[in-house]
Amino acid sequence: MRLKLLTLALTLAAVSLPSHGEDLLDAYRQARANDPVLAQADATRLAVHEGVPQARALLLPQINGTLGLTQSSGSSSQNVGEGSGDGGGGHIRQRNMSVELDQTILNLADIANLQAAHSTADAQQQTYDAAAQQLFVRVATAYFTILNDEEQLKYAKANEEAYRVTYDQAEQQFKVGIAAVTDVYQAKSYYEAAKAQTISQQNTLDNDRQALTVITGQPVGELKTLRAELPMDAPVPSDPQQWVDSAMKNNPTLLSAQLSVDAAEHSVNAARAGHLPTISASLSRGKTSTWAENGSFGNGNGSTLGNGRWGNTIGVTLSVPIFAGGATQSKVRQSIYQRDEAQDSLELTRRQTVQDTINDYNSVVAGISEVKSGKAAVESAQEAVDATKAGFQVGTQIMLNVLTAIQTLTQNQSTYATARHQLVLNRLLLRQSAGTIDYKDMEYVNSLLQ
């Protein structure tokens, strides 16, 4: 119910949004209203839930009305009634009307199938919850991928410009005879490679912007960027095992797998119940009318031979299965194999969940150090570029050293930008693995934008 209310609120909020998401929450609201993956998961959930009333219906009263009309002619019609003459050309019509009520008294297979339907529906609900949680991560990943691409493009352009300036300087120094032609060739080589890198990075950005559009259904405009200073706090709690314990209790994918095992167990019981007797009761009320048409029956056309009265019939039926050609035993074996498959899938999901949770925890811890080291590396690389350029001007550094220093700076800037954005995503991934990610986490991440 909480997810349904959240969906409604976000859908209404998305109505007045502009044509592009300005921040992460805008993008998420649009995705919540337009994402086909989540919509598909919702439709599947609703379809699977319909299995519950269908299974329950087999245990509820069944009412059927019957109206039948039969016609017989020829010699067979002459046996109906006395004094019917030779029956030449005539026929007899008979009408049957009845209403029947059937009620299952005992059918353990249907009871087990109802339990299986409930477990299957609950499992699908957890699958939908997992898709809803995954939407948080999908939107954030697409959003921060764009932000990272934009920074990479910025550094690529700065790198290209730095190489262009260096190339121009090398050409000027060569013309006045204070630099070798090899310096010009080296500078040009780096400059041309930098231009190609800028084009490639622009293409990557364009493609990743389209990836966000696939989720939100809206064109992507200018996005708010990640602020310079990020919180470097370690995950709380600081014990990875506590995150694993949370995942064992709350991870919806794991819970769905557990409920699938429960459904398979009920299906085994239903198959085994195929060997057991069933008891049902029935109550019917009906009558039969018979009359002759277009012949010598009676004194004219439409003579009535019999107009039955309404009658009631009540009974209880005990059905005992004896032999079904081996089908019942085969269904039992099949359901056991399917249960074993569900159990193996559960164990695989459990192990994968433990691995993902620990990996995400370690990634957050390592990411904090990577961001700190990356920032220091950028500062050092910038100082190296400045010093190398100054040395080249006075003749203590060669052109290759300048080019290498610029390249190192660009690589460090790229690594630092990626580490910053990935740290934010890893925090969301950790909460997703633990099964505790929600809208408040998106609000917190959105507060880191500027």
Side-chain angles (χ1 to χ4, degrees):
M1 178 60 69
R2 181 177 62 83
L3 287 174
K4 290 181 179 178
L5 293 176
L6 177 60
T7 301
L8 177 59
L10 294 177
T11 301
L12 293 175
V15 173
S16 59
L17 291 176
S19 61
H20 62 273
E22 295 182 352
D23 59 20
L24 182 61
L25 291 183
D26 289 335
Y28 176 72
R29 294 187 189 103
Q30 292 171 353
R32 188 79 195 196
N34 301 313
D35 178 46
V37 175
L38 185 63
Q40 183 183 37
D42 188 36
T44 302
R45 173 182 66 90
L46 295 174
V48 171
H49 272 66
E50 290 302 318
V52 174
Q54 292 175 19
R56 184 187 298 115
L58 299 177
L59 297 170
L60 298 179
Q62 311 289 313
I63 302 176
N64 295 291
T66 302
L67 174 61
L69 182 63
T70 60
Q71 176 176 299
S72 58
S73 59
S75 60
S76 62
S77 63
Q78 298 177 10
N79 297 325
V80 182
E82 297 180 356
S84 60
D86 57 6
H91 55 262
I92 293 179
R93 291 177 177 171
Q94 189 174 71
R95 181 178 63 221
N96 299 297
M97 295 183 295
S98 66
V99 177
E100 182 174 351
L101 169 66
D102 296 304
Q103 172 62 57
T104 297
I105 298 178
L106 178 64
N107 190 320
L108 296 180
D110 287 347
I111 294 175
N113 283 329
L114 176 59
Q115 294 171 330
H118 276 293
S119 295
T120 301
D122 292 342
Q124 194 59 48
Q125 178 64 51
Q126 292 296 332
T127 299
Y128 172 76
D129 291 345
Q133 291 189 6
Q134 181 65 23
L135 183 62
F136 292 126
V137 175
R138 289 170 52 221
V139 172
T141 299
Y143 188 96
F144 281 103
T145 297
I146 293 174
L147 296 188
N148 187 54
D149 289 344
E150 290 176 342
E151 288 208 35
Q152 300 298 335
L153 180 60
K154 179 181 68 174
Y155 297 139
K157 289 180 177 180
N159 188 49
E160 178 186 338
E161 178 62 18
Y163 283 136
R164 186 195 64 78
V165 172
T166 303
Y167 173 49
D168 290 343
Q169 290 176 345
E171 277 194 316
Q172 292 297 325
Q173 291 179 351
F174 173 71
K175 289 178 181 179
V176 298
I178 62 174
V181 69
T182 54
D183 290 345
V184 178
Y185 292 153
Q186 286 177 338
K188 183 178 180 181
S189 174
Y190 276 78
Y191 174 50
E192 294 297 337
K195 288 198 295 184
Q197 180 62 32
T198 300
I199 295 173
S200 176
Q201 192 57 53
Q202 180 66 62
N203 182 63
T204 299
L205 173 60
D206 294 340
N207 291 339
D208 288 337
R209 289 172 70 88
Q210 187 61 34
L212 180 57
T213 298
V214 170
I215 301 175
T216 63
Q218 301 291 335
V220 180
E222 183 178 356
L223 303 180
K224 292 184 178 180
T225 59
L226 197 60
R227 69 192 190 195
E229 296 299 326
L230 296 178
M232 295 289 106
D233 302 329
V236 178
S238 58
D239 181 8
Q241 185 57 46
Q242 295 186 42
W243 288 94
V244 171
D245 293 341
S246 175
M248 295 299 100
K249 297 178 182 178
N250 302 311
N251 186 285
T253 301
L254 183 60
L255 296 178
S256 177
Q258 178 60 66
L259 289 166
S260 295
V261 172
D262 295 341
E265 289 283 3
H266 293 311
S267 295
V268 171
N269 294 335
R272 287 172 174 163
H275 293 289
L276 302 178
T278 60
I279 302 176
S280 61
S282 63
L283 171 65
S284 63
R285 178 174 175 82
K287 75 172 183 175
T288 301
S289 302
T290 305
W291 68 96
E293 291 284 350
N294 299 328
S296 58
F297 302 109
N299 297 323
N301 293 340
S303 300
T304 300
L305 300 180
N307 190 3
R309 297 181 178 179
W310 287 96
N312 299 325
T313 303
I314 187 171
V316 177
T317 301
L318 171 66
S319 178
V320 181
I322 298 176
F323 181 67
T328 303
Q329 293 88 338
S330 176
K331 290 179 180 179
V332 171
R333 293 193 298 270
Q334 181 185 52
S335 61
I336 290 175
Y337 298 146
Q338 291 171 338
R339 179 201 59 191
D340 294 343
E341 178 188 9
Q343 289 176 336
D344 292 336
S345 179
L346 170 62
E347 178 60 20
L348 178 61
T349 302
R350 187 192 67 80
R351 296 181 186 181
Q352 188 64 55
T353 301
V354 172
Q355 179 186 6
D356 291 344
T357 304
I358 294 177
N359 288 350
D360 293 336
Y361 178 88
N362 292 336
S363 295
V364 173
V365 174
I368 294 173
S369 299
E370 289 175 5
V371 171
K372 293 179 179 178
S373 298
K375 182 178 181 180
V378 169
E379 294 172 350
S380 298
Q382 183 62 62
E383 293 175 354
V385 169
D386 296 339
T388 306
K389 284 183 177 181
F392 180 74
Q393 294 295 330
V394 298
T396 60
Q397 295 287 344
I398 62 175
M399 175 59 67
L400 182 59
N401 290 344
V402 175
L403 297 173
T404 302
I406 296 174
Q407 184 181 57
T408 301
L409 173 61
T410 303
Q411 291 174 345
N412 289 346
Q413 288 172 330
S414 174
T415 301
Y416 177 53
T418 301
R420 279 165 35 85
H421 293 99
Q422 191 60 50
L423 174 60
V424 177
L425 289 177
N426 285 339
R427 292 185 186 276
L428 289 177
L429 288 170
L430 176 59
R431 298 191 67 83
Q432 181 195 19
S433 295
T436 58
I437 188 172
D438 57 22
Y439 188 70
K440 291 182 179 179
D441 295 306
M442 297 294 279
E443 290 179 323
Y444 170 74
V445 173
N446 199 64
S447 69
L448 302 178
L449 302 177
Q450 60 182 4

